[in-house]
Amino acid sequence: MSLSKVCNRVDYFLEVFTSALMVALVLNVTWQVVTRFFTNDPSSFTEELARFFLIWIAFLGSAHAFRKGAHLGLDYFVEKFSPAAQAKIVKTILLFVVLFSVCILIVGGSCLAYLAWELDQKSASLGLSISIVYLAIPISGLLFLLFSAESFKNYSNN
């Protein structure tokens, strides 16, 4: 299976998963509002769960946006160069994305998740391991790495 097909499948799953997280987030916050304003017993876990959903949505959504080319960029300046120079600029940017993904997201995020697991850190309301929340960081780093490889391959073929 080609790299593009793998990326298409991963990206489709990512889109469905982040959409499901968004639906869960909306339902969770709706429940929070209902219990806060319409009952005398406000829900104790909804704020924490909403925060965890937002963390996962932000990290996974950023990888999805990267693949779709939806991240904020300075295309105006890059378009002023020749096509050959544009390809070199994009490849350089992709190398910086790879460096950031490996050093900060994958290595740093894995260390953070491992440390939270080693220290047995639990969330206050849900009792959920904080390492599960932190896993969004290295997973998004792996996704950035995968999507960068696809982009680099596409620019090398042109």
Side-chain angles (χ1 to χ4, degrees):
M1 189 182 309
S2 72
L3 182 59
S4 290
K5 285 184 181 180
V6 170
C7 288
N8 286 337
R9 287 187 179 182
V10 169
D11 194 47
Y12 176 76
F13 172 79
L14 199 55
E15 189 172 354
V16 169
F17 185 68
T18 53
S19 296
L21 286 177
M22 284 295 294
V23 169
L25 175 64
V26 169
L27 292 173
N28 178 63
V29 171
T30 302
W31 179 251
Q32 183 179 29
V33 170
V34 166
T35 60
R36 179 177 292 152
F37 291 110
F38 299 111
T39 70
N40 291 329
D41 187 25
S43 183
S44 61
F45 68 89
T46 51
E47 185 178 336
E48 188 173 81
L49 187 59
R51 189 176 324 118
F52 295 163
F53 282 154
L54 278 173
I55 290 168
W56 275 84
I57 290 166
F59 278 98
L60 298 181
S62 66
H64 174 67
F66 176 73
R67 175 140 196 270
K68 297 294 183 189
H71 269 284
L72 185 64
L74 300 174
D75 295 343
Y76 175 78
F77 296 111
V78 176
E79 290 174 356
K80 300 291 183 189
F81 292 95
S82 69
Q86 288 179 18
K88 287 180 183 178
I89 292 169
V90 170
K91 287 179 187 178
T92 303
I93 291 169
L94 288 171
L95 287 175
F96 280 113
V97 170
V98 166
L99 280 172
F100 179 81
S101 297
V102 170
C103 296
I104 304 299
L105 296 176
I106 296 171
V107 174
S110 296
C111 289
L112 186 62
Y114 178 73
L115 182 63
W117 182 67
E118 274 292 309
L119 296 175
D120 198 31
Q121 291 180 334
K122 304 274 186 209
S123 65
S125 296
L126 295 170
L128 183 70
S129 175
I130 295 297
S131 61
I132 293 171
V133 178
Y134 289 156
L135 276 177
I137 303 168
I139 289 172
S140 71
L142 290 170
L143 292 168
F144 270 102
L145 201 58
L146 176 67
F147 297 151
S148 294
E150 178 193 30
S151 293
F152 197 83
K153 183 180 177 217
N154 290 341
Y155 274 97
S156 294
N157 291 340
N158 293 338

